[in-house]
Amino acid sequence: MYSRIDQSLLEELRRTVGETGVLVSEEALEAYSHDEVAELRVRPEAVVKPRTADQVAAVVRLAGERTVPVTPRGAGQGLSGGAVPVFGGLVLSLDSMNRILEIDQENLMAWVEPGVITGEFQREVEKLGLFYPPDPASQDSCTMGGNVAENAGGPHAIKYGVTKDYVCGLEVVLPSGRIIQIGGKVVKNVTGYNLLQLLIGSEGTLGVVTKILVRLLPLPKERVDLLVPYDDFRRAAKTVSDVISSRIIPTALEFMERDSIAAVEKLLEKEAFFRDSAAHLLVTLDGNDRSAVDAEYERIGELCLANGAVDVMVADTLQTRERMWEIRKMIIEALQNLSPERIMDTQDVVVPRTELPRLLDRIKEVGRKHGMSIVSFGHSGDGNVHVNVIKNVPEDVWRARAPRAAEEIYRIAVELGGMVTGEHGIGLTRKRYLPLGLDDVQIDLMKQIKEDFDPKNILNPGKIFD
Ligand SMILES: Cc1cc2nc3c(=O)[nH]c(=O)nc-3n(C[C@H](O)[C@H](O)[C@H](O)COP(=O)(O)OP(=O)(O)OC[C@H]3O[C@@H](n4cnc5c(N)ncnc54)[C@H](O)[C@@H]3O)c2cc1C
């Protein structure tokens, strides 16, 4: 179906991006063969590191002429195998395009290249009293381009939304090699179909993002963080819908069950607060008026206690706040350590927030039924739970039971009015579950869109659809 990369193509690629921009060593091919899904590894035939949109366009054109697949890649922090080059070919690594091009303090917008690390960008705008809210827990490693391609969310999504709510413009290289500019420094735009939103979350299958324009907010002046332990995880889950229906929208409302906290303790070799509790909620509130923020946290504290919380701990120092959040941010890495091979199947289901207690209960049942360790945590304020089936059983048991457990969990989420993935994307690992969330008409429309953008199917083939 695809051609192999030969010497003449390698030479043309070197002429296009320079000698050092083409990697073919064993170490490089291995390093670019995977993302954060441990068991998925396919080596590319070469890695190309362009520095400009024109170079990206030239590489994509060359690949198109030779029918060589191209897999765009940011930092490889994805959790759906999206950056894995399943058909070999080229990995197009955008990490050298990593400049913040402009922070426009009059329009409250910024232009960045796709390889900018999200956390670094956030810290730069914060120095100017500005705020870029999308905050995937991987923010200190993942790229803005990867965030656009996955429409990444994070703890702030409950109040501030996800990446799509901040992107106002994109420069994109299409599979034909043509460069298009979409959107601009405008607050409103209904000029034609919304191609901007079509490209956001398209998982590198429709175009390569080479420049991103995002809007910024003023940085809130006040912030309070609460850690709330519970002896029963159901009570923690029930608190979530009570908080939302009280009409207070926190900045973050995260859920962690005991096994996830214990795994981080083991990894970091330090004790968590309230380490024996069955579950924790981690709540953040922000705003500009201290008394309003205080009133909101007191009200949320009352709701937590009314739902049976053991305590409500208020982070009154930066050190305490960082210690609370450190646990949350390390969970994925810590859970991987529970498997001798560092393998787990991470699901990313999302349900209406009121269904959270039922979802968590039924996930526990699935774990018991299949005799698998299943640990859940996540963005409970969005009804988005990361369900991790840990591989700590023999290979044959894993192969027989893990796919069944996964399918049951996806089906439960859909039955409860939810979706297959809230933020990690379909990529490679969730392709077979796409029909659970979408009907044939929608899938056919999506496939048609892919074909119109990319008739030769060279850009990130093998993803999203079977
Ligand atoms: C510890 C941990 C915590 C995480 N927490 C969160 C979280 O809270 N919220 C969340 O949403 N995700 C989270 N993730 C998942 C992941 O970090 C995000 O999906 C992130 O957006 C990936 O960015 P990346 O730069 O690493 O992209 P990659 O993994 O390199 O690529 C991801 C996809 O984007 C495509 N792509 C990358 N760059 C471009 C580009 N310039 N143009 C077109 N396509 C491109 C790739 O082809 C691939 O399909 C987490 C991951 C880890 C490991």
Side-chain angles (χ1 to χ4, degrees), residues 34-36 70-84 92 94 114-118 135-139 141-155 162-163 172 199 202-212 254 328-333 336 348 377 379 384 386 422-425 427 459-460 463:
H34 62 92
D35 62 4
E36 284 294 310
V70 177
T71 304
R73 178 184 172 103
Q77 292 293 301
L79 289 169
S80 56
V84 178
L92 186 64
L94 282 309
V116 168
I117 299 293
T118 310
D135 59 338
S138 53
Q139 65 203 41
S141 329
C142 65
T143 65
M144 296 286 284
N147 293 175
V148 171
E150 294 289 355
N151 189 16
V162 297
T163 304
V172 178
L199 281 148
S202 63
E203 303 191 24
T205 62
L206 300 182
V208 183
V209 174
T210 48
K211 226 195 261 180
I212 305 159
E254 299 284 302
R328 167 64 187 85
K329 294 198 170 172
M330 295 303 291
I331 291 178
I332 290 189
E333 198 179 330
Q336 283 169 340
D348 172 45
F377 71 95
H379 313 299
N384 181 198
H386 302 322
E423 57 180 24
H424 294 165
L459 199 61
N460 211 356
K463 308 294 164 57

Side-chain angles (χ1 to χ4, degrees), residues 4-5 10 22-35 40-48 73 83-85 88-91:
R4 303 280 301 169
I5 295 181
L10 281 178
V22 180
L23 312 179
V24 288
S25 69
E26 288 296 304
E27 302 83 63
L29 301 185
E30 181 57 27
Y32 288 85
S33 68
H34 62 92
D35 62 4
L40 275 179
R41 268 166 207 267
V42 181
R43 284 185 181 202
E45 292 157 63
V47 179
V48 183
R73 178 184 172 103
V84 178
L90 289 176
V91 160

Side-chain angles (χ1 to χ4, degrees), residues 90-119:
L90 289 176
V91 160
L92 186 64
S93 168
L94 282 309
D95 58 358
S96 304
M97 293 175 68
N98 57 3
R99 291 173 304 158
I100 297 174
L101 299 169
E102 183 193 13
I103 300 176
D104 176 348
Q105 296 191 62
E106 287 174 331
N107 281 304
L108 297 192
M109 290 191 183
W111 275 111
V112 298
E113 289 187 320
V116 168
I117 299 293
T118 310

